[in-house]
Each structure stands twice: as C-alpha cells, then as structure tokens.
Amino acid sequence: MRFIIKASHERLTAHSGLGLIGFLLEKTDLRPKLNQLKIPGLKYPLLSHSDIVYAMIGLLAQGKSDFEHIEAFREDDFFQYALQLKSVPSAARLRQRLDGLAQIRKWRNILLDEMVRLPRKVGLEPSAIKLNSGTCYVPIDVDVSPFDNTDTHKEGVSRTYKGCDGYAPLLAYIGREGYGLYAELREGRTHVQKEVDQKLREMIPRAKSMTEKPLLLRMDAGNDALNNLAVCQEEGVHFIIKRNLRRESPEAWLAIAQDQGKATVIREGCTRYTGKIRVTDPGLPQPVYQVFDVRETTIAKDGQILLIPEITVDVYWTDLDEDVADIIDLYHDHATCEQFHSELKTDLDLERLPSGKFATNDLVLCLGLFTYTLLRIISQESLRVNDSPLRKKVQRRRIRTVIQTLITLAAKMVTHARRQYLYIGSRAWLTPFKRLYQAFA
C-alpha cells in the first residue's frame, strides 16, 4: 500500500516524555545556580547557561549525544516548552557554551549535589540489600569503565587497560537501582587507583545524604589500597574490596584455606574452601577481615585427571562481621554495575563523547550521569503501580526501555484558552504517563 505524503500544520511531537524530564529539572536548583556562573568574555549571554544545559539534557534523554542533533529541535515548540527554554540553541552555540562552562570548575559540584538530592525530593530512596541475618546495606559501587574512542584525535585519548584507545572515567552508583553518585572523565592511561581515596571523601557525604541506612562500598582489585580502607573506616562506611594478590603464592593460600577454612565438595575432583581471617594493620584505625574463596581442582570437568592441580584464589578486604557466603555473594553482586556502565555508554550514546576537548567531554559525561539518574527516577516511579503494558515484574527497567516507552512517546500539543494540552497517541501508555506526570508536577 502506498502513502500520500503531506505536510501537517498540527504541532506533533515524538518525544512527549521530555515533559517528565522538564518537571524533574524544575524540582532542582540547577537553573539559578548555573545562571550564576560567570564565563570570562561573556558578560550578557542571550541564552542563559541553564537553557544550554537543559537543551543538552533534553538531547541525552533521547539517547542523542552529538551537538548537531539539536538542529532538529530548533523549530520544535514542544521541546522548548517542556524544558522551559527561552529558545533552542544552535549546534554551534551549544558546543561553544559548553566549552566555556567546562572551564569553570564549580559546575561539577552543582550537578552532583543536585543529582543526589533529587530522588528524595520525589519520594525515592536507594534500596538496600537484605542479608539472611536481617541486616540491610545500601551498596555504593565504584568502578572504572573504559570508553573506546579508537581512531579519534580527541584530547586525553590514550591506551586503556582494556587494550583500546579511549578514556577511563571513574563512575559511582548507589542502591540496587543504580542511581548516579559520581562521574569524572580521566585519560585512558590513568591508573585505576589514582586519587580515588580523595574522591571517596567527596562521594561518601553525598551518599549519606541520600539514605540513613548503613552504606557498603564495593570496589575491584584495582582499588586494593590501604588508603581506601582507611577512608571507609574514618567515614563510618562498610566495605568489600577485592584484594590484588600480586606475587602471593596460590599454594600458600590453599594451605591457609585448608587449615582455617570450611571445605565444600563442588563435584568430584573440585573442592572449595571458604573462610575469613582477622587482620590488624598499623595503617588502619580498626582491625579488618580477609575473606578467602579458594578452589582446588584435581579433575577437569571432562574427567581428565590433572597432573598439577589448578588453584584459583579470591580474597576480599571487609569489615563486615557477617556470614562468609553472604560476603562473597555481596561482592559478586558488584558486577551489576557493569550493566549501569552499559546503559550510560550505549543507551545514552556516551561512549564516543562528542567534543574534541577533554574538559567539555568531562562536562558532557557528568550531564549524561545526571540524565541517567532522571531516567532512573522515571523508571522506578513507573514501577510503583503495575499499570503499564509491560507486565513482567522487575526491580528496575533498562534505560533504553524507558526512552523507547516513556520518552519517545508520540503526542499532539494543542493550545486552547491560554492552556497547553498534550494528547497522547498511545492509549496503552496513557494511564502510566498521566500518573507519572501528576507525580512529578
């Protein structure tokens, strides 16, 4: 069947979910704080700093990260009205203003402070992990995730530990939902542990402002440093940090495990030893535990008897006086943050950052985490009532699903009697969208 294509004079939009983003932004103090920033040489800007930042957030909320994408919204009345913009900037102005804002260091604290305050303003709180003992811990997952920017000449791109050219940003999330907590772009060659103990002193107070429940910091072996443990003890935060065994002998750990651990036969020829050792270090205010998980394999899965046994050793620093199995499971759950990285890099299209300037890309990454948190809030609020066409019961929805179902939702904008009406095209999503809109209003 052939269609006859004609122009329409009606105000149609394919991204009515930006109305939700606009409401959430108005609950923050971003606008006055951003507008107070002074860029040298720009005394009286025609467009406010907040309009520029909100326009970029509007793009990122649709999974668009390139500055040129803003050109499609220059004449879009809904985009301007939903985000309360004086006017929509051009691609050149968007790029140049973000370049200017990136030179002012105050922007990071403004964005991060408003980002962590927002969930509580809408009645949400990072959820905790409940153990068999009944104790609850709110996880803080800190990790470095390489951004592949191969074949580019952007400032700061260098070889990462993954073997590709790109960046190695430091990212932090809180709660089982993965609300954004911290983001900082770093050169690809930067060591994972560089200045992390200082960054933890910035993250932890923000995390404490989001919940009153006990916090649990989880980090990989790249962050096996005495400074990190000391910061956690000083700040009153629990931790599980995987040990980097460096040159320690697996055979030595097997002997310790056989002597002090609990043996479990997984299958014929494979035995697992688990346990924990209390350790006192002069560099730490309090004693800590080393939890070990050692496996000795003498027969391969295919039945082949091994001439030399295979020994795998995992050891974790922790201050938790909990069951060893629970501590190991808590660390394994840390892998969930890889999905958060994936949503940030692919769903928001941020892996290949849009600017050639390092400082601007740092700002865009932080705006990306802010937008990610906005979408996460919409996701969690939508799950409070089971009124969406997606009937599968989940603890959180992927950011891509939120964009596809609630942000890029077709509607018609109508002005009548000095009021703006939004007619949603999908009846299936009308009820949840209306409920969310009223919840954030």
Side-chain angles (χ1 to χ4, degrees):
M1 180 181 291
R2 295 176 178 267
F3 293 98
I4 299 174
I5 309 298
K6 289 189 175 183
S8 172
H9 297 291
E10 296 182 304
R11 292 189 294 177
L12 306 175
T13 178
H15 39 267
S16 57
L18 290 183
L20 303 176
I21 298 294
F23 261 147
L24 288 174
L25 287 173
E26 290 308 310
K27 288 185 177 295
T28 70
D29 294 324
L30 269 184
R31 191 177 291 278
K33 289 182 177 179
L34 288 172
N35 289 340
Q36 289 175 1
L37 298 178
K38 303 297 182 183
I39 298 177
L42 188 64
K43 196 171 184 179
Y44 302 109
L46 294 176
L47 271 181
S48 66
H49 300 332
S50 59
D51 280 1
I52 296 293
V53 169
Y54 281 23
M56 191 66 201
I57 290 175
L59 288 182
L60 292 170
Q62 301 173 69
K64 304 174 187 292
S65 63
D66 197 282
F67 300 131
E68 296 298 327
H69 287 141
I70 197 66
E71 293 295 336
F73 301 96
R74 296 290 303 281
E75 306 298 328
D76 191 323
D77 291 340
F78 177 79
F79 186 89
Q80 181 177 344
Y81 185 82
L83 299 175
Q84 294 295 293
L85 308 179
K86 182 180 178 181
S87 65
V88 181
S90 65
R93 176 167 289 178
L94 180 64
R95 179 192 298 272
Q96 291 167 4
R97 185 69 63 82
L98 289 177
D99 286 346
L101 286 171
Q103 303 305 316
I104 307 172
R105 295 185 178 182
K106 293 180 180 179
W107 64 260
R108 188 187 304 279
N109 286 335
I110 292 174
L111 289 176
L112 294 179
D113 288 344
E114 292 303 317
M115 180 177 68
V116 300
R117 289 172 186 158
L118 188 55
R120 274 201 161 181
K121 288 185 177 180
V122 295
L124 294 173
E125 185 177 334
S127 62
I129 300 174
K130 188 175 182 179
L131 303 184
N132 295 327
S133 62
T135 312
C136 294
Y137 298 100
V138 176
I140 301 175
D141 293 300
V142 180
D143 194 23
V144 169
S145 179
F147 281 25
D148 188 348
N149 280 255
T150 304
D151 297 328
T152 66
H153 300 283
K154 300 172 185 175
E155 183 183 0
V157 168
S158 54
R159 204 67 171 173
T160 69
Y161 68 87
K162 286 288 188 180
C164 64
D165 292 333
Y167 298 108
L170 179 66
L171 301 165
Y173 312 90
I174 184 171
R176 300 185 70 182
E177 305 88 352
Y179 294 109
L181 182 62
Y182 188 85
E184 181 184 17
L185 191 66
R186 305 197 297 180
E187 294 184 5
R189 62 189 175 189
T190 305
H191 191 277
V192 172
Q193 175 55 25
K194 184 179 180 181
E195 299 180 350
V196 167
D197 55 326
Q198 300 174 26
K199 307 305 178 185
L200 290 178
R201 295 189 186 277
E202 297 180 34
M203 299 177 201
I204 292 173
R206 291 192 176 102
K208 287 181 177 179
S209 71
M210 299 180 73
T211 180
E212 296 174 358
K213 296 176 182 176
L215 298 172
L216 174 64
L217 178 72
R218 303 186 292 195
M219 305 175 80
D220 293 335
N223 299 113
D224 175 14
L226 199 64
N227 290 346
N228 295 339
L229 275 62
V231 170
C232 290
Q233 291 190 339
E234 291 169 10
E235 297 288 343
V237 173
H238 300 290
F239 58 87
I240 303 177
I241 301 176
K242 190 172 183 179
R243 278 206 58 201
N244 183 349
L245 296 178
R246 298 177 175 87
R247 297 183 180 180
E248 295 182 40
S249 167
E251 289 77 14
W253 271 106
L254 177 60
I256 294 171
Q258 289 174 335
D259 181 51
Q260 303 187 37
K262 176 184 176 182
T264 304
V265 178
I266 299 176
R267 58 174 175 80
E268 183 183 3
C270 184
T271 305
R272 181 188 187 191
Y273 301 91
T274 57
K276 61 183 178 181
I277 306 169
R278 187 178 175 89
V279 177
T280 302
D281 192 287
L284 297 175
Q286 302 170 9
V288 295
Y289 294 104
Q290 286 188 6
V291 174
F292 56 82
D293 182 2
V294 182
R295 298 194 185 201
E296 181 187 27
T297 304
T298 57
I299 302 176
K301 289 183 178 180
D302 60 2
Q304 176 67 47
I305 298 175
L306 302 178
L307 183 62
I308 301 175
E310 290 182 356
I311 303 171
T312 58
V313 181
D314 291 319
V315 184
Y316 313 96
W317 292 111
T318 187
D319 67 337
L320 297 179
D321 192 13
E322 301 284 353
D323 184 73
V324 170
D326 286 340
I327 294 173
I328 294 172
D329 288 342
L330 279 172
Y331 179 79
H332 288 169
D333 186 64
H334 171 60
T336 307
C337 72
E338 294 297 335
Q339 182 175 337
F340 305 150
H341 295 333
S342 174
E343 293 175 274
L344 199 62
K345 292 196 284 188
T346 60
D347 298 358
L348 296 187
D349 193 29
L350 279 174
E351 181 158 25
R352 297 180 79 86
L353 291 159
S355 178
K357 298 181 179 180
F358 183 85
T360 306
N361 282 334
D362 189 15
L363 173 56
V364 172
L365 175 64
C366 203
L367 288 174
L369 188 67
F370 192 101
T371 307
Y372 162 92
T373 301
L374 296 176
L375 295 170
R376 181 65 71 204
I377 289 171
I378 294 173
S379 168
Q380 295 310 119
E381 184 66 32
S382 71
L383 294 174
R384 287 194 176 188
V385 180
N386 189 21
D387 57 0
S388 77
L390 304 177
R391 298 300 182 186
K392 185 177 179 181
K393 190 174 181 179
V394 294
Q395 291 183 341
R396 66 176 182 275
R397 295 202 191 282
R398 188 178 175 95
I399 295 300
R400 179 179 296 166
T401 303
V402 179
I403 293 174
Q404 291 174 343
T405 57
L406 288 168
I407 302 300
T408 55
L409 192 61
K412 180 170 74 170
M413 182 178 172
V414 176
T415 303
H416 176 69
R418 299 182 182 180
R419 302 182 71 179
Q420 300 288 350
Y421 293 82
L422 199 61
Y423 291 87
I424 303 298
S426 171
R427 291 187 177 273
W429 285 99
L430 175 60
T431 300
F433 185 86
K434 189 174 181 180
R435 175 174 61 82
L436 286 169
Y437 199 78
Q438 292 171 344
F440 299 146

